[in-house]
Amino acid sequence: MTANRPQPRPGVLDIAPYIPGKSSAPGVAKVFKLSSNESPLGPSPKAIAAYRAVGEHLEDYPDGSASELREALGTAFGLDPARIVCGAGSDDLLNLIARAYLTDGDEAIHATHGFLVYPIATLGAGAKPVVAPETNYTVNVDAMLKAVTPKTKVVFLANPNNPTGTYIPFDEVKRLHKNLPPHVLLVLDAAYAEYVQRNDYESGIELVATSENVVMCRTFSKIYALASLRLGWMYGPAPVVDAINRIRGPFNVNAPAIAAGVAAIRDTAHVERSREHNTRWLAWLTEEIGKLGLSVTPSVANFVLIHFPESKGRTAKEADAFLTKRGLILRQVSGYKLPNALRMSVGTEEANRLMVKSLAELLGKPA
Ligand SMILES: *Cc1c(COP(=O)(O)O)cnc(C)c1O
């Protein structure tokens, strides 16, 4: 039967719309937005200056191949710029990967508490998201491998993952890759790689360089603090790069983003400051919140997942309302199948201290 109005392709209306972190607390004078893993230190002043300079020439189209940015990334990470594609955030790239490598009836695997963009991109491409169970809020490679079927075309792995903050060692990533069929594309989403301070972690550059079925996505939204400009990049094998370049928008990255990105990559001192701030306060928050009797999933990223009891007055939902009244905006994560937890981005010293003080109050403990 012919429909009497336009119908989206199958799968589109199965997508649960992505709900971004809240950004306001009505009636509160001072608000700390800790709901979207943004950087408390902000971007490099050099990136802001570069962004402003482009404002003098808004009539010009950007360089559609973002050459200067790919060159800067190539120099910074020791990569061939020809194998880099830039995108309007890594969301753009994840969607392009889904569109290029998935079709009706295909399957794409992600972990239980994996980043929500994966099922959205998968359904948008007409394919089926397949969920692989986790162990202790951590990706389980055996479970991912078990989920592989003849229909599997893509495996999405956020390492570290959002919203759990956990990671798997590079040996495990390699074991996952080694046991995947060669036609399955392994997408390593390393949005938080710059924060990780573990000897057994790697973002995946080496694996991309030596394989034909691995890509790595990175973002300027987190440690580089350019989330508002929407800028990300991927490094992949030449045939994958070629496919993505064919379907991406010819000017998918705007000129202010390219200019700011180049300056941000070069300002390594600023990145170092941001990393140091995070390392210090991530440990402090984990310890102090733990001391209050709440369980915090060990995180290597720039946020913590805090688990709340189900007792009345202290559930995640009630804690969220309580904290919002004090100007602390956290992220509810029930959409990630974590109804009893809240995610908190590492904030400024002031925000972090207020958070621990407020949690103590909520739990009726002396601060
Ligand atoms: C924040 C985040 C990104 C980055 O998204 P952008 O579109 O680049 O802002 C990618 N993956 C994960 C897991 C994230 O948490």
Side-chain angles (χ1 to χ4, degrees):
M1 207 179 74
T2 316
N4 61 2
R5 57 188 164 108
Q7 299 292 314
R9 64 183 297 160
V12 170
L13 298 182
D14 298 331
I15 296 173
Y18 183 87
I19 305 168
K22 280 184 299 183
S23 54
S24 67
V28 183
K30 186 154 190 187
V31 171
F32 299 94
K33 186 171 179 245
L34 307 172
S35 57
S36 303
N37 301 342
E38 293 146 348
S39 168
L41 271 59
S44 155
K46 291 172 187 159
I48 299 173
Y51 162 82
R52 289 214 172 105
V54 178
E56 301 296 318
H57 296 282
L58 294 183
E59 67 281 13
D60 295 336
Y61 273 98
D63 165 17
S65 60
S67 307
E68 202 191 341
L69 180 55
R70 289 186 299 104
E71 298 283 344
L73 288 165
T75 304
F77 291 92
L79 308 175
D80 176 2
R83 290 179 52 182
I84 295 174
V85 187
C86 297
S90 36
D91 287 358
D92 184 23
L93 297 163
L94 294 167
N95 276 290
L96 289 169
I97 289 165
R99 263 177 56 208
Y101 287 93
L102 294 171
T103 188
D104 296 350
D106 287 345
E107 294 176 356
I109 298 171
H110 69 275
T112 307
H113 307 297
F115 190 40
L116 278 177
V117 170
Y118 310 148
I120 293 175
T122 301
L123 286 164
K128 185 177 148 202
V130 172
V131 177
E134 298 186 16
T135 309
N136 285 334
Y137 305 106
T138 307
V139 164
N140 178 326
V141 165
D142 292 309
M144 280 209 154
L145 288 169
K146 224 174 131 189
V148 175
T149 76
K151 292 179 176 167
T152 307
K153 294 286 161 57
V154 173
V155 173
F156 290 108
L157 173 67
N159 201 29
N161 183 51
N162 166 24
T164 53
T166 57
Y167 79 106
I168 58 170
F170 194 50
D171 278 349
E172 280 291 276
V173 178
K174 284 196 283 199
R175 186 166 74 85
L176 171 62
H177 171 252
K178 210 174 112 206
N179 289 287
L180 285 175
H183 66 274
V184 172
L185 183 62
L186 174 61
V187 180
L188 301 175
D189 180 351
Y192 301 94
E194 294 85 356
Y195 291 108
V196 185
Q197 315 264 293
R198 291 287 188 283
N199 290 334
D200 59 357
Y201 175 80
E202 275 181 48
S203 63
I205 286 175
E206 176 202 317
L207 198 56
V208 175
T210 55
S211 324
E212 287 193 283
N213 64 332
V214 185
V215 301
M216 172 191 67
C217 292
R218 302 284 285 258
T219 183
F220 280 89
S221 300
K222 305 289 156 57
I223 208 163
Y224 301 100
L226 295 174
S228 88
L229 291 179
R230 312 305 305 122
L231 186 61
W233 57 282
M234 60 160 258
Y235 171 56
V240 177
V241 165
D242 175 54
I244 301 300
N245 272 329
R246 285 170 197 261
I247 60 165
R248 70 177 174 83
F251 302 103
N252 62 330
V253 178
N254 66 72
I258 293 171
V262 169
I265 277 289
R266 290 181 183 154
D267 193 349
T268 51
H270 186 78
V271 174
E272 198 46 54
R273 272 194 295 279
S274 303
R275 181 166 29 238
E276 275 168 18
H277 176 91
N278 191 70
T279 302
R280 172 171 174 216
W281 290 101
L282 178 71
W284 186 83
L285 284 165
T286 305
E287 185 175 338
E288 295 298 320
I289 298 172
K291 276 196 223 157
L292 295 172
L294 295 172
S295 123
V296 179
T297 300
S299 169
V300 295
N302 70 337
F303 55 87
V304 284
L305 186 69
I306 309 166
H307 302 267
F308 288 83
E310 293 186 52
S311 51
K312 198 161 170 339
R314 290 156 191 196
T315 64
K317 244 193 156 119
E318 287 158 325
D320 187 32
F322 182 92
L323 295 166
T324 301
K325 281 198 207 117
R326 280 153 186 78
L328 295 161
I329 306 200
L330 270 67
R331 183 74 146 85
Q332 287 200 25
V333 281
S334 34
Y336 285 95
K337 301 182 197 134
L338 296 163
N340 301 321
L342 294 176
R343 189 192 68 196
M344 174 202 179
S345 312
V346 172
T348 57
E349 171 167 359
E350 186 185 2
N352 299 334
R353 291 193 186 280
L354 179 63
M355 174 69 183
V356 169
K357 195 165 150 259
S358 304
L359 280 179
E361 243 178 86
L362 170 78
L363 300 168
K365 307 216 168 169

